[in-house]
Amino acid sequence: MNEIYVARPSLPSVEEYAALLDGIWSRRILTNRGPLLQQFEAEVAETLGVPHVSVVANATLGLIVALMEIGAKEVITTPFSFVATANSIRLAGAKPVFADIDPVSLSLDPAEVERKITPETGAILAVHAYGLPCDIDGFEALSQRTGIPVIYDAAHAFAVRRDGRSILNAGRMSVLSFHATKVFHSAEGGAIVCQDAETKRRIDTICNHGISDETTTDVVGMNAKMSELHAAMGLLQLRNLPAEIAARDRVVRRYAHGLAGVPGIRPICPTGDPEHNNYAYPIFVDPEYPLSRDALYAALRQRGIIARRYFHPLITDLGAFRDLPQTQVERFPVAQSASERVLCLPLYGDLSQDDQNRVIDAIAELGRKG
Ligand code: T4K
């Protein structure tokens, strides 16, 4: 029996990729803002409907660069995320301060953030978890009132819109992931979205070791550049994006239909919403379901279905973060509850109907037997 993974990257044909590799071989420009990278950056901006994009080697570096650009010393963020969110704060030399999340969006709650603001707070790093938009209006108001900039970790939010506009235009900057497991990928990669050319210039400088010309390095930077080989993959994947999102939409509808009658199984993301990107299929395993979330996770694994508990444990319970003064004394009840109940089911465009039926039938059967 084949294993069914939570994510599976879509791929262009080897021939299409080889055709772009031919150009790279003949030019011998492999990195440092080559022609494919520049074309990729322009096409990403156009696809997303955002003014400025800086493509980077991955979202973790993108987050670090965004935080370096702001120069924050203390950053308020969520404990309910992939560890990269909090790692980036520490790697940028800042102190993470955690606040609880909203029970519906599963993203940072602006009211909880406000309670954590101190004179040292330099930025808010909010995550659009599973591509569900944060309370953008709440953060906009908070940012205007306090002058504290908001950065969005939009690793999951490629192509997500609200009222017809990209949510990536909110806040000071948004950071995307183009990792292989995402809706849109370039194997490894990411991007920083910003609203003005001057900010983009500074971001690009930080991404290139802080070098602004051959003899000038006025800021400390790093290497966050994407290679031409990754840009080639990204360019081809952009062409595949509408088909991938449409295929995921069909998978999501089948889950919604197949799991509708299973008591205690509750989908978290919308079904059939053209503004959502169907990045993941997280469900809540509620008390009416006879198995706990962890028991369901283990039972599915025994059947070769590798669902994932994103995000468990909370970042604040991970060894790298639980010894901070704040996390030793404070709990985050809403985030804790979400972390104990969420399970992400396999979702990708070419998930076969047979494989998806295996997932649905297993959850339904375990729900009957307990
Ligand atoms: N912020 C947020 C909110 C994030 O979720 C992430 C990353 C980041 C920031 C940082 O973005 P990057 O710096 O990575 O660009 C995966 C991804 O590696 C990670 O990118 C992602 N979030 C996170 C939620 O999931 P793992 O350790 O769970 O991945 P892994 O290797 O277990 O892959 C999951 C499944 O996908 C595997 O069981 C099989 C399948 N798979 C995976 C890869 C890599 C494939 O079929 N092919 C592949 O190439 O972190």
Side-chain angles (χ1 to χ4, degrees), residues 65 68 201-225:
V65 169
M68 286 170 76
R201 192 193 58 73
R202 288 198 303 268
I203 288 168
D204 288 344
T205 303
I206 296 173
C207 290
N208 185 28
H209 309 280
I211 297 170
S212 45
D213 66 44
E214 242 181 289
T215 54
T216 317
T217 302
D218 290 333
V219 295
V220 173
M222 61 154 88
N223 182 357
K225 292 174 272 112

Side-chain angles (χ1 to χ4, degrees), residues 7-9 59-60 81-82 84 153 155-156 177 179 181-182 308 310:
R8 236 22 192 163
T60 307
S81 185
F82 190 60
D153 177 337
H156 305 175
S177 170
H179 183 263
T181 50
K182 300 294 186 286
R308 295 294 289 268
Y310 296 124

Side-chain angles (χ1 to χ4, degrees), residues 78-353:
T78 169
F80 187 68
S81 185
F82 190 60
V83 67
T85 308
N87 277 341
S88 69
I89 297 173
R90 296 191 81 173
L91 290 167
K95 172 182 160 194
V97 173
F98 296 94
D100 211 346
I101 60 170
D102 172 82
V104 177
S105 72
L106 302 181
S107 294
L108 266 183
D109 179 342
E112 290 294 319
V113 169
E114 189 153 18
R115 296 199 307 118
K116 297 289 162 69
I117 291 175
T118 72
E120 301 301 311
T121 307
I124 296 162
L125 179 54
V127 179
H128 300 298
Y130 317 121
L132 292 172
C134 288
D135 179 358
I136 289 171
D137 297 336
F139 281 117
E140 223 60 39
L142 181 61
S143 183
Q144 273 181 14
R145 227 175 26 252
T146 59
I148 299 170
V150 182
I151 299 173
Y152 291 101
D153 177 337
H156 305 175
F158 196 91
V160 174
R161 285 168 290 130
R162 197 185 61 158
D163 302 328
R165 286 196 75 225
S166 171
I167 62 168
L168 304 169
N169 287 314
R172 183 72 68 86
M173 285 170 263
S174 294
V175 180
L176 293 156
S177 170
F178 302 161
H179 183 263
T181 50
K182 300 294 186 286
V183 169
F184 168 77
H185 77 86
S186 53
E188 289 277 4
I192 306 171
V193 174
C194 68
Q195 300 300 309
D196 63 279
E198 177 52 25
T199 304
K200 175 173 164 51
R201 192 193 58 73
R202 288 198 303 268
I203 288 168
D204 288 344
T205 303
I206 296 173
C207 290
N208 185 28
H209 309 280
I211 297 170
S212 45
D213 66 44
E214 242 181 289
T215 54
T216 317
T217 302
D218 290 333
V219 295
V220 173
M222 61 154 88
N223 182 357
K225 292 174 272 112
M226 176 184 274
S227 79
E228 289 286 279
L229 285 82
H230 290 88
M233 176 65 86
L235 276 168
L236 294 173
Q237 287 297 103
L238 268 187
R239 310 217 184 342
N240 184 42
L241 181 69
E244 175 66 18
I245 290 185
R248 282 167 179 259
D249 182 62
R250 289 192 287 278
V251 176
V252 163
R253 287 172 197 269
R254 290 203 297 266
Y255 269 136
H257 180 74
L259 295 172
V262 184
I265 297 297
R266 192 157 45 101
I268 292 174
C269 293
T271 303
D273 179 352
E275 301 209 305
H276 186 59
N277 65 0
N278 296 316
Y279 157 63
Y281 199 79
I283 53 168
F284 276 134
V285 183
D286 286 333
E288 301 86 72
Y289 193 76
L291 299 184
S292 68
R293 187 277 312 270
D294 287 345
L296 174 59
Y297 163 80
L300 290 176
R301 256 192 116 85
Q302 278 182 346
R303 290 162 170 74
I305 299 163
I306 320 296
R308 295 294 289 268
R309 292 166 291 185
Y310 296 124
F311 302 101
H312 172 81
L314 289 183
I315 293 175
T316 42
D317 289 332
L318 297 173
F321 292 89
R322 66 170 170 246
D323 291 339
L324 297 175
Q326 181 201 15
T327 53
Q328 289 215 325
V329 295
E330 221 182 310
R331 298 270 69 87
F332 306 90
V334 183
Q336 190 65 49
S337 161
S339 172
E340 286 164 8
R341 289 182 300 133
V342 176
L343 190 62
C344 288
L345 303 184
L347 172 57
Y348 41 92
D350 60 357
L351 178 63
S352 72
Q353 287 217 22

